[in-house]
Amino acid sequence: MTTRYEPAIDVSTTTAIDMHVHIEVDPHGHSSLPDDLAAAATSYFRADVGRPDLDAVAAYYRERSMAAVVFTVDARTALEHPPLSSEEIAAGAARNNDVLIPFGSVDPLRGPAAVDHARRLIEDHGVRGFKFHPTVQGFDPSDPRWFPLYEQLQSAGTIALFHTGQTGIGAGMRGGRGLRLALSNPILLDTVAAEFPDLRIVMAHPSVPWQDEAIAVATHKHNTWIDLSGWSPKYFPPALVRAATSFLRARVLFGSDFPLLTPDRWLRDVEETALTPEVMPGILKDNAVALLGLG
């Protein structure tokens, strides 16, 4: 019998909600990425916490009185590598539902099979959103071929979290291992937000080098959010900091990119930025509580 995820997070005692946490390895030792890509990403980020499994991730966040959105990326077609199981991630989140929130991942290149997979993850397993990485998965998110998938997510009221901007995956490898950065330009998500106005879209990461495009999309399309994961806050573009402290303050979200970048480092480095104490409660928790429906 499948255990369907239901959250049991005590928002009143939670200090922060990390919107961007990768599960990199499953209980069977299978990696979410081929070995060469995993090594390159670890080197790029200088990660030093290893690759903890889901239960270890839950313990890490529980120790910090934080909650975390957890997911993998299903890029089986583009990478020719079997993905981690989103079903197992959802089951693990159900086992740790005091701190974890599961997002699923499906491979858009699988067409109707991806739509059916998304439906089953929502209905049978209770995932609250989906993670997409256009560069790694090898798809243009604005292409109408994927509209049936977005319609499925919109109808179910789930969230679509898209990687945007630069990526450490493939960085430094010959030809970037064939991965195309242009697929993660956030301006491509303007089409998605326009065509699916009730689909809640999160543009993950400071969208270097396309930060102005991300801000423009978020300003124009109020069904979009920006998460602040994947970069030390010390390196946030000034335009992003200005937006986060003013006109986008209700739609900017804390995220780390754990285990490649830890929440401990993020919180330490944010002290060196112009993100003001007045906006930090919203960024760290309140905006995510509203988006995820945890209030």
Side-chain angles (χ1 to χ4, degrees), residues 31 49 84 103 118 121 135 138 182 212 284:
S31 172
V49 296
L84 300 191
F103 276 22
L121 285 169
T135 292
D212 288 344
L284 289 176

Side-chain angles (χ1 to χ4, degrees), residues 215-258:
I215 291 171
V217 172
T219 302
H220 194 255
K221 304 296 193 297
H222 282 208
N223 56 323
T224 62
W225 284 254
I226 293 174
D227 90 29
L228 300 177
S229 65
W231 293 79
S232 163
K234 294 187 297 183
Y235 306 122
F236 287 172
L240 176 59
V241 175
R242 286 195 299 272
T245 56
S246 54
F247 57 94
L248 290 182
R249 63 187 294 171
R251 287 187 289 119
V252 174
L253 308 159
F254 164 57
S256 66
D257 216 10
F258 186 84

Side-chain angles (χ1 to χ4, degrees), residues 8-173:
I9 295 167
D10 185 348
V11 172
S12 68
T13 60
T14 299
T15 61
I17 298 175
D18 189 335
M19 285 291 300
H20 206 104
V21 175
H22 290 265
I23 302 301
E24 298 284 346
V25 64
D26 70 13
H28 321 291
H30 179 63
S31 172
S32 62
L33 291 170
D35 291 343
D36 59 342
L37 280 177
T42 299
S43 175
Y44 178 86
F45 282 97
R46 299 187 179 93
D48 59 3
V49 296
R51 307 178 78 203
D53 64 16
L54 184 142
D55 289 313
V57 169
Y60 179 95
Y61 280 88
R62 194 175 287 117
E63 288 171 359
R64 288 157 176 78
S65 298
M66 294 181 183
V69 172
V70 292
F71 48 73
T72 188
V73 175
D74 184 341
R76 68 184 74 184
T77 303
L79 297 184
E80 299 181 337
H81 180 79
L84 300 191
S85 167
S86 286
E87 289 82 356
E88 288 189 359
I89 289 174
R95 194 167 60 243
N96 295 281
N97 66 345
D98 59 317
V99 291
L100 298 185
I101 302 154
F103 276 22
S105 185
V106 297
D107 180 358
L109 300 182
R110 298 180 69 220
V115 179
D116 183 62
H117 190 192
R119 179 189 59 77
R120 287 184 282 108
L121 285 169
I122 295 165
E123 294 179 359
D124 298 342
H125 300 275
V127 303
R128 297 307 172 101
F130 287 82
K131 168 63 186 288
F132 298 100
H133 197 310
T135 292
V136 171
Q137 292 175 305
F139 78 105
D140 176 345
S142 68
D143 192 313
R145 285 183 292 170
W146 325 126
F147 284 8
L149 177 56
Y150 302 148
E151 179 59 43
Q152 174 69 67
L153 306 193
Q154 177 176 258
S155 297
T158 55
I159 297 162
L161 170 67
F162 288 87
H163 171 94
T164 66
Q166 171 69 285
T167 181
I169 299 175
M173 301 179 71

Side-chain angles (χ1 to χ4, degrees), residues 268-279:
R268 182 180 70 244
D269 289 356
V270 80
E271 297 292 334
E272 301 181 34
T273 74
L275 289 170
T276 63
E278 290 77 17
V279 303

